[in-house]
Structure formats: C-alpha cells, structure tokens
Amino acid sequence: MDIKNLITFIHVAELNSFTKAAETLGYSQSTISFQIKQLETELDVQLFDRINHTVVLTEKGREVLNYAHQISKMTQELRESMQDRQTVSGHIRLAMADSLCESLLREGFHHYRNQYPGITLKIITAGTEEMFRLLNHNEADVILTLDNHIYNTEYVIAKEEKVRAHFVAGRGCPLLRKSSLSIYEMVRQPFILTEKGMSYRRLMDEKLAELSLEIQPILEIGRTDLICAHIEQGDGISFLPDYVTAKAVEEGRLFCLEVENFEIEVWKQLLYHRDKWVSPQMESALQYCIDREFS
C-alpha cells in the first residue's frame, strides 16, 4: 500500500474537497482522484460519497481514516526516531493568542535558536476557535490558548495555568480616587481593547452580556503594548491579563481597578492533538513554550 495515497486520503477527508487537497499537497486534481481511486480499488471499498460536488466519507471511509491516521503517525514516529537528537531539525507550527507573542519571543528565543539551529518555527496568531480548526486539520502542531478552561479527550494538555486579568487605567484616571467601583460605572468609560471575539476580550464581553451590558471601545487593536502606552497617556481604560501589565503596574505607570462582583476566569493552555507524534523538534518547542510562558 502506497503511504502517499493514505496521506492524500487524509487530506481529502479533512478538507472535504479534492480541489483543496490538491492545492494543499501541490498535486493536480486528476492526481488526487487517481490516488483515491487506487486506494479504493486496493481496499475494495468506496471511501467517499460524491453528491452535487460535495465529498463526504462513507461509513467504511471513516473506518479507513482512523487506520490512516495511525499509519501516518507511526510512519512519522519511525522517521523521527531515526534522527540524531544532536542534530534535531524540522519545522514546527505554533498557533497562539496574539497577546502571548511578545512574552514568548522577546527573550529566550536567541538561546533556543542557538540550541536547535536546525528547527524553524512558524507562529500563527489566531482566535481559539481557529486554533482548534488548525490543530484538527494538522495545519498547526501545537496551540497556546488564552481563554476559558478547555478540556477535551481529543487533546493533550502539555501545560496550563490560571491567569488573572484586570481593568487597568493610567495615573490620571478619576476612577482611581473611588474606593469601590461597579461594572455599570466602568462601562461608561472610554475603552481601548483588543479585537472583538479574541480570548479574554470575548470572555469579558460574554460576562457583560449576562448583565445586558456592552462596551463600545474608542479603539480596537491587537497590540497590547500599544494599548498599554495609550492607557498610560490617559486615553482610556482597558481590560488586560496581569502578565501584560505587571511591569507597568509595578513601576506605577498603570493601576488595576478592582470592580465589585465582576471576575473572569482566564486560562493559559498549551495543547496538541492526541494523535500527534511528539517528535524531538516538537518536544523542544513544547519545552521552550513551557519555560517562557508558565511560572
């Protein structure tokens, strides 16, 4: 049995398209069709139902897909186990929350590169839902989320920790003079926030929606360093995880605002798919993330 045919089958099954599989693998569509037909002939089963230009796995196709994943994983494991650990090389795709990029890459990456010069790392910034889509379609090897706690037996949690988040303001904010704050008072303030739907911003919006409240920010931007800079200048307030604001708070440039009866639970989690072979290069990337992102 040709392993290439199984790999093609996996791509068609996950993408639900012969055309998309051809684009991903760099083959012509006729080649993809031939490989699938060859596999169907060899196994004497129909793998897909093709109705009105849609491609859907048959019951036998779903059974074959499970075996195909196992064979692909074992093939990769065999290949990687033959690799000299002293010359670990390869390409790792890490999908993560945008606000975690700075802490992951600002310090330590130079040392990692010196230790593993043969490894290339691709960072993909995405929302949590998109991260899991990438993971499920093998378009990302590892994901680093900043969201509510996620537990699913399909995924392995390499490391996790609870992250605190606060409303923050600059020195001149009038709210700092108040001994107690309500969320109803907070939402009337000018806000600078990360993009709507992204990790902790989404969790905050969902909590507000439960109270029939909504914030209309004066500025939305993914760069938390720029948000902090604007907040320090008195342009508004924000809602950010503590690891983003810790240094500015310690130096007295930003201040946390304690709001009564408004707590949001945010989790930082490093995950990979349970069917993913943890190669030496992936193991090194996981350890790098753990060392940089988890206390």
Side-chain angles (χ1 to χ4, degrees):
M1 183 177 296
D2 193 335
I3 295 296
K4 288 184 179 179
N5 290 351
L6 285 175
I7 299 301
T8 295
F9 167 62
I10 290 172
H11 278 79
V12 174
E14 291 181 343
L15 297 171
N16 295 316
S17 169
F18 279 62
T19 302
K20 291 180 180 178
E23 292 173 354
T24 301
L25 294 170
Y27 296 153
S28 66
Q29 190 167 340
S30 60
T31 298
I32 296 293
S33 298
F34 174 78
Q35 290 178 325
I36 296 300
K37 184 63 177 177
Q38 194 174 48
L39 186 60
E40 288 180 326
T41 300
E42 187 171 6
L43 296 175
D44 194 25
V45 296
Q46 182 175 331
L47 298 172
F48 296 101
D49 284 324
R50 303 164 179 83
I51 304 172
N52 295 329
H53 303 292
T54 61
V55 178
V56 181
L57 281 169
T58 62
E59 184 177 345
K60 283 292 185 181
R62 287 191 291 271
E63 186 177 342
V64 173
L65 181 61
N66 183 47
Y67 283 110
H69 276 300
Q70 294 181 50
I71 293 170
S72 176
K73 179 182 177 183
M74 292 177 67
T75 301
Q76 184 179 6
E77 183 176 347
L78 175 62
R79 186 183 300 116
E80 299 295 347
S81 67
M82 296 297 101
Q83 188 178 49
D84 184 352
R85 284 183 172 267
Q86 297 303 313
T87 57
V88 175
S89 63
H91 185 61
I92 298 297
R93 303 158 299 175
L94 170 63
M96 61 190 300
D98 184 74
S99 61
L100 292 171
C101 288
E102 183 177 359
S103 57
L104 182 72
L105 299 174
R106 180 177 289 276
E107 297 176 4
F109 184 68
H110 178 70
H111 174 73
Y112 177 73
R113 280 288 300 143
N114 285 340
Q115 188 175 6
Y116 299 102
I119 294 179
T120 58
L121 183 64
K122 179 180 180 180
I123 302 294
I124 308 165
T125 58
T128 305
E129 185 177 343
E130 174 64 7
M131 287 189 218
F132 280 99
R133 188 197 70 78
L134 294 169
L135 203 60
N136 291 336
H137 287 83
N138 198 29
E139 295 174 36
D141 302 301
V142 183
I143 63 173
L144 183 59
T145 68
L146 193 64
D147 212 304
N148 51 19
H149 190 271
I150 297 162
Y151 178 75
N152 187 315
T153 55
E154 290 291 310
Y155 313 108
V156 176
I157 301 173
K159 193 74 174 178
E160 64 180 8
E161 70 178 16
K162 192 173 180 180
V163 175
R164 296 198 69 193
H166 282 91
F167 292 99
V168 291
R171 186 184 301 276
C173 179
L175 295 180
L176 295 177
R177 296 193 291 269
K178 300 201 172 187
S179 57
S180 63
L181 293 169
S182 74
I183 189 59
Y184 299 95
E185 187 174 19
M186 289 293 295
V187 297
R188 295 197 295 268
Q189 305 302 313
F191 268 84
I192 301 175
L193 298 171
T194 53
E195 300 99 321
K196 193 175 183 66
M198 297 295 283
S199 58
Y200 50 87
R201 162 75 191 277
R202 178 178 55 77
L203 297 178
M204 181 197 70
D205 285 341
E206 290 174 354
K207 182 75 172 179
L208 289 172
E210 293 175 6
L211 302 171
S212 299
L213 296 173
E214 184 179 10
I215 290 173
Q216 295 292 340
I218 61 171
L219 175 64
E220 291 178 296
I221 186 172
R223 291 271 303 273
T224 55
D225 57 333
L226 292 180
I227 292 177
C228 289
H230 281 289
I231 299 303
E232 287 180 35
Q233 294 169 11
D235 292 335
I237 63 178
S238 190
F239 181 76
L240 294 167
D242 288 0
Y243 70 84
V244 171
T245 61
K247 184 176 181 181
V249 169
E250 183 181 350
E251 295 174 353
R253 293 181 284 115
L254 288 179
F255 299 85
C256 292
L257 300 171
E258 298 291 344
V259 180
E260 295 177 348
N261 302 316
F262 194 86
E263 292 186 5
I264 294 176
E265 190 172 278
V266 184
W267 283 81
K268 185 190 299 182
Q269 292 181 287
L270 183 67
L271 307 101
Y272 58 91
H273 200 280
R274 69 177 184 184
D275 292 331
K276 187 73 176 178
W277 158 238
V278 181
S279 62
Q281 59 264 31
M282 182 167 155
E283 185 178 359
S284 74
L286 286 168
Q287 191 58 53
Y288 173 67
C289 290
I290 291 170
D291 293 342
R292 294 297 307 148
E293 290 292 338
F294 295 89
S295 55

